[in-house]
């Protein structure tokens, strides 16, 4: 039999929930390079919308730990949105290299250009206005509006879903209960501190209300939680059945120039997976079958040597690439360039291509690697 807990939809309980959460956040807030602390906000320091937008784009499907160094690299190189708008796209892709989901970087550049050229360098301060920006969807618009401009809106991320799935004991996957979660958040979000409230929920989900080891006994809003009352926290959130990921396979060809050890690189098409990034020559990535891999078709003739196989996980499929290498004096091949060993770390190479090169040159990315 379920034990009763306060109804989060009532104004009184929603206000109490928010007060408990914010009291905890005032002393336990994470220190993040893009965040304005609750103490600074209380002192009147306003969050920089550029920092909020940049961090939210970077954090899409990426962990906080992975994003910190990239965020700091971006704001060091391009301190304002106008600076980013004037940057070369290739330079943006190079600094982004290794963070993954490369369409985000292309949209980031387009959005910066739009804000700088069409909006005088100022971000819209409403969800509707933010949704008109290139590459900004519902969640990102809501997060920027709340955190940067203190709008009462609910950016429902993975932490929100997990916290509210437990608070309300939601019996379906959170993706199917977005409206219910949204209503519960809006019932509690205070008029005076929406930005802090949103970030407090994010911190709660990232620390105490964690996926596998929730700290229910120390939770600041535990009195409002149905799952804590019934000892069922680990039963939530409900999960969708996972489909089996496909596996694709192909070849990567690492050409190394005699004398200086430079590696031949080329640019991927602007559209599609890893669009606009640098790569070593390779085959198409075919679906793996019982017959094995696709036919090996190296870019130039020669005595190619096997350097083993690398694997990489994309969101929707796994990739296995057989890596081959060839040392040459030079090649007569258009559409590419040679990158010397001390330049490779600065190239716009996605992680999968770094793995392919490292299979041939193990020390290529040991220094200054961001992946």
């Amino acid at each position: 039999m379920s034990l009763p807990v306060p109804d989060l939809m009532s104004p009184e309980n929603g206000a109490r929930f928010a007060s408990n959460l914010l009291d905890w956040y005032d002393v336990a807030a994470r220190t993040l390079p893009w965040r304005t602390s609750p103490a600074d906000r209380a002192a009147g320091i306003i969050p920089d919308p550029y920092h909020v937008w940049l961090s939210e784009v970077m954090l899409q499907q990426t962990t906080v730990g992975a994003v910190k160094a990239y965020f700091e690299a971006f704001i060091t190189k391009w301190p304002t949105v106008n600076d980013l708008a004037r940057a070369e796209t290739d330079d943006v892709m190079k600094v982004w290299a290794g963070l993954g989901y490369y369409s985000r970087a292309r949209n980031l550049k387009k959005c910066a250009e739009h804000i700088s050229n069409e909006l005088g360098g100022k971000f819209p301060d409403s969800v509707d206005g933010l949704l008109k920006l290139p590459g900004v969807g519902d969640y990102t618009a809501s997060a920027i509006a709340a955190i940067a401009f203190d709008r009462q809106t609910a950016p429902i991320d993975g932490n929100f879903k997990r916290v509210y799935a437990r608070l309300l004991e939601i019996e379906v996957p959170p993706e199917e209960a977005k409206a219910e979660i949204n209503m519960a958040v809006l019932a509690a979000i205070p008029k005076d501190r929406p930005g802090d409230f949103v970030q407090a929920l994010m911190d709660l989900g990232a620390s105490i209300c964690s996926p596998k080891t929730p700290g229910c006994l120390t939770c600041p809003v535990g009195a409002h939680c149905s799952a804590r009352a019934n000892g069922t926290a680990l039963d939530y959130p409900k999960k969708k059945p996972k489909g089996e990921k496909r596996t694709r396979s192909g070849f990567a060809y690492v050409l190394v120039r005699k004398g200086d050890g430079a590696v031949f690189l080329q640019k991927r098409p602007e559209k599609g997976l890893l669009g606009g990034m640098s790569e070593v020559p390779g085959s198409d990535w075919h679906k793996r079958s019982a017959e094995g891999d696709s036919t090996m078709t190296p870019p130039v003739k020669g005595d190619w040597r096997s350097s083993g196989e690398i694997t990489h996980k994309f969101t929707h499929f796994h990739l296995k690439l057989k890596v081959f290498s060839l040392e040459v004096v030079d090649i007569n091949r258009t559409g590419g360039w040679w990158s010397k060993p001390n330049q490779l770390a600065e190239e716009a190479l996605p992680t999968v291509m770094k793995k392919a090169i490292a299979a041939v040159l193990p020390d290529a990315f040991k220094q200054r690697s961001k992946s």
Side-chain angles (χ1 to χ4, degrees), residues 325-349:
S325 62
L326 178 66
E327 192 174 38
V328 295
V329 175
D330 214 326
I331 58 170
N332 183 20
R333 185 177 173 87
T334 59
W337 67 96
W338 291 100
S339 184
K340 294 181 179 179
N342 63 349
Q343 298 171 327
L344 284 172
E346 303 301 324
E347 299 285 359
L349 287 162

Side-chain angles (χ1 to χ4, degrees), residues 1-20:
M1 182 176 179
S2 296
L3 297 175
V5 294
D7 178 13
L8 282 177
M9 299 298 183
S10 77
E12 182 181 352
N13 289 329
R16 188 176 295 113
F17 174 88
S19 178
N20 292 343

Side-chain angles (χ1 to χ4, degrees), residues 53-54 57 74 84 96 104-112:
W53 164 71
L54 183 59
V57 173
F74 261 76
L84 182 58
W96 189 277
R104 294 182 296 169
R106 295 191 294 275
N107 287 332
L108 197 75
K109 182 68 167 65
K110 291 177 185 176
C111 188

Side-chain angles (χ1 to χ4, degrees), residues 81-366:
V81 70
N82 294 322
D83 295 321
L84 182 58
R86 291 189 292 267
E88 294 292 333
T89 299
D90 284 349
D91 289 340
V92 174
M93 301 304 283
K94 287 178 180 179
V95 178
W96 189 277
L99 196 54
Y101 301 96
Y102 294 96
S103 61
R104 294 182 296 169
R106 295 191 294 275
N107 287 332
L108 197 75
K109 182 68 167 65
K110 291 177 185 176
C111 188
E113 291 171 350
H114 179 83
I115 293 168
S116 182
N117 298 333
E118 305 298 328
L119 303 178
K122 293 184 178 180
F123 282 79
D125 62 1
S126 68
V127 171
D128 288 343
L130 289 160
L131 281 170
K132 295 176 183 177
L133 299 177
V136 173
D138 291 339
Y139 168 77
T140 304
S142 186
I144 298 169
I147 297 170
F149 300 109
D150 270 334
R151 302 301 184 198
Q152 284 181 289
T153 183
I156 308 299
D157 70 348
N159 286 317
F160 274 55
K161 292 174 184 176
R162 183 169 59 259
V163 169
Y164 275 90
R166 289 169 174 168
L167 285 169
L168 305 175
E169 283 191 316
I170 296 174
E171 296 297 338
V172 297
E175 293 76 13
E176 299 175 22
K178 189 173 180 180
E180 182 180 358
I181 294 172
N182 191 68
M183 287 176 60
V185 175
L186 292 179
I189 191 168
K191 292 181 180 180
D192 59 336
R193 297 181 66 185
D196 282 346
F197 179 86
V198 163
Q199 291 175 108
L201 276 172
M202 293 175 179
D203 282 11
L204 185 72
S207 56
I208 290 175
C209 198
S210 60
K212 295 182 180 179
T213 56
C216 295
L217 294 179
T218 60
C219 180
V221 292
H224 303 267
C225 182
S226 293
R228 190 179 88 159
N230 296 304
T232 58
L234 291 178
D235 294 336
Y236 299 92
K238 300 299 183 182
K239 296 180 180 179
K240 278 186 176 181
K242 284 189 177 181
E244 186 176 351
K245 283 191 177 182
R246 297 169 295 162
T247 297
R248 295 183 183 180
S249 61
F251 297 92
Y253 303 108
V254 181
L255 285 157
V256 181
R257 189 165 62 187
K258 290 181 179 178
D260 62 1
V263 174
F264 185 81
L265 301 177
Q266 59 192 28
K267 191 174 181 180
R268 291 179 64 84
E270 289 294 334
K271 293 186 178 180
L273 185 64
L274 307 181
M277 301 299 289
S278 302
E279 66 173 359
V280 297
S283 69
D284 290 336
W285 299 343
H286 298 283
K287 292 180 181 178
R288 207 169 181 87
S289 65
E291 288 75 29
D293 298 308
S294 55
T295 304
M296 180 176 174
T297 54
V300 297
K301 292 182 179 180
D303 185 17
W304 288 87
R305 299 178 58 184
S306 173
S307 297
E309 184 177 78
I310 61 113
T311 61
H312 190 74
K313 294 181 181 180
F314 289 97
T315 304
H316 300 298
F317 67 93
H318 293 162
L319 178 65
K320 292 186 178 182
L321 293 179
K322 290 184 176 179
V323 182
F324 290 84
S325 62
L326 178 66
E327 192 174 38
V328 295
V329 175
D330 214 326
I331 58 170
N332 183 20
R333 185 177 173 87
T334 59
W337 67 96
W338 291 100
S339 184
K340 294 181 179 179
N342 63 349
Q343 298 171 327
L344 284 172
E346 303 301 324
E347 299 285 359
L349 287 162
T351 300
V352 63
M353 293 300 157
K354 290 182 179 181
K355 289 180 180 179
I357 294 170
V360 178
L361 303 171
D363 295 332
F365 301 102
K366 287 188 177 179

